[in-house]
Amino acid sequence: MKTTTLLLLAFIICTSCSTSKTVPSQWQSEAFKTQKIDRILVFASTKDRALQEDFEDKVSMVLISEGISTLKMHELFPEIEHKESRSQEEIKQFILECKKQNIDKVLIASQKSLSIDTVYAKSLHNYFNTLEPLKLNGKSDDELEYKTEKLTTYTIEAAVYDIAVSSEDKPIAATTLKATDPKSLNKLEAELLVAIKKLFRDR
């Protein structure tokens, strides 16, 4: 009986907690750790132009505080519009334009994925239903009804590319946030800015 009471108490505590959760991850190549980065182009890849400009401004402030000179995509290449997918030729042309400006490092921030999943809700209704099959005259699993809820998960990333290395089509460093039901998208943005600062500070 004591064990059942403790389990019930633990479940009530979990039920009262928010489902909001952010999982950060960071990766750095040896090239990123060892080379000096004093100038970088900042690009927020989004179709929302106002958001792009605002975020590029904020990332620039973060990097300047780390002693890195920045260029902003919306100022340097205002004619380049957002696309969900770009051809290899378009990317090559972009790299050529960057090289004309003596740019060899680019930080690209983007939303990598958005998923909405239906899960069992953390509720007393569901908790007691999981005990029903234990009864000799209880319902079968097929007859049980469970309350569900939808969880929205965002995966956002800021990746650093060395476009001087033409043979490598992958980043030299990246920081990623996987956020489930964030309480605020503004808070999520702030967390990404902190993660970007940490990425360059931890070199």
Side-chain angles (χ1 to χ4, degrees):
M1 185 65 177
K2 185 177 179 181
T3 302
T4 304
T5 303
L6 289 174
L7 286 171
L8 180 58
L9 179 60
F11 190 88
I12 291 172
I13 291 171
C14 289
T15 303
S16 64
C17 296
S18 169
T19 56
S20 179
K21 181 175 71 173
T22 301
V23 179
S25 62
Q26 179 179 292
W27 171 82
Q28 298 178 350
S29 67
E30 286 303 315
F32 180 75
K33 292 177 183 177
T34 56
Q35 65 181 293
K36 183 178 180 181
I37 298 178
D38 53 15
R39 190 167 181 264
I40 194 167
L41 172 66
V42 177
F43 177 27
S45 182
T46 171
K47 61 183 178 182
D48 186 330
R49 191 72 176 192
L51 176 60
Q52 177 192 350
E53 294 178 7
D54 181 64
F55 192 72
E56 288 176 2
D57 288 342
K58 289 176 180 175
V59 172
S60 291
M61 290 177 64
V62 166
L63 295 179
I64 289 170
S65 72
E66 294 299 310
I68 301 171
S69 175
T70 63
L71 299 161
K72 305 168 193 175
M73 188 75 173
H74 72 270
E75 292 180 349
L76 194 62
F77 300 114
E79 72 284 358
I80 296 181
E81 298 180 351
H82 174 266
K83 283 187 177 182
E84 291 293 335
S85 177
R86 297 183 189 275
S87 68
Q88 199 61 36
E89 285 304 313
E90 288 177 304
I91 294 172
K92 285 181 180 178
Q93 185 59 41
F94 170 68
I95 291 174
L96 286 175
E97 293 301 322
C98 285
K99 288 182 176 179
K100 288 179 185 178
Q101 301 284 345
N102 294 319
I103 298 167
D104 60 5
K105 303 292 188 301
V106 182
L107 182 148
I108 302 177
S110 63
Q111 178 178 288
K112 306 306 292 182
S113 67
L114 170 63
S115 63
I116 300 176
D117 300 305
T118 301
V119 298
Y120 290 136
K122 291 181 178 179
S123 67
L124 288 176
H125 172 86
N126 283 358
Y127 176 78
F128 281 115
N129 266 356
T130 60
L131 298 182
E132 283 285 349
L134 299 179
K135 294 182 180 179
L136 293 177
N137 60 347
K139 299 179 181 178
S140 69
D141 286 334
D142 294 336
E143 295 175 309
L144 294 175
E145 294 181 3
Y146 293 95
K147 290 182 179 179
T148 60
E149 62 183 6
K150 293 189 181 298
L151 294 183
T152 303
T153 301
Y154 299 85
T155 301
I156 55 177
E157 180 182 82
V160 180
Y161 289 85
D162 184 351
I163 59 176
V165 184
S166 57
S167 61
E168 292 290 337
D169 192 21
K170 59 184 180 181
I172 58 173
T175 185
T176 305
L177 294 182
K178 188 173 183 179
T180 301
D181 274 359
K183 294 179 179 178
S184 163
L185 293 182
N186 288 335
K187 184 174 183 295
L188 184 57
E189 177 191 70
E191 288 177 343
L192 182 57
L193 290 171
V194 170
I196 291 171
K197 188 180 188 73
K198 186 175 185 298
L199 182 69
F200 283 85
R201 181 164 286 183
D202 287 352
R203 295 195 317 130

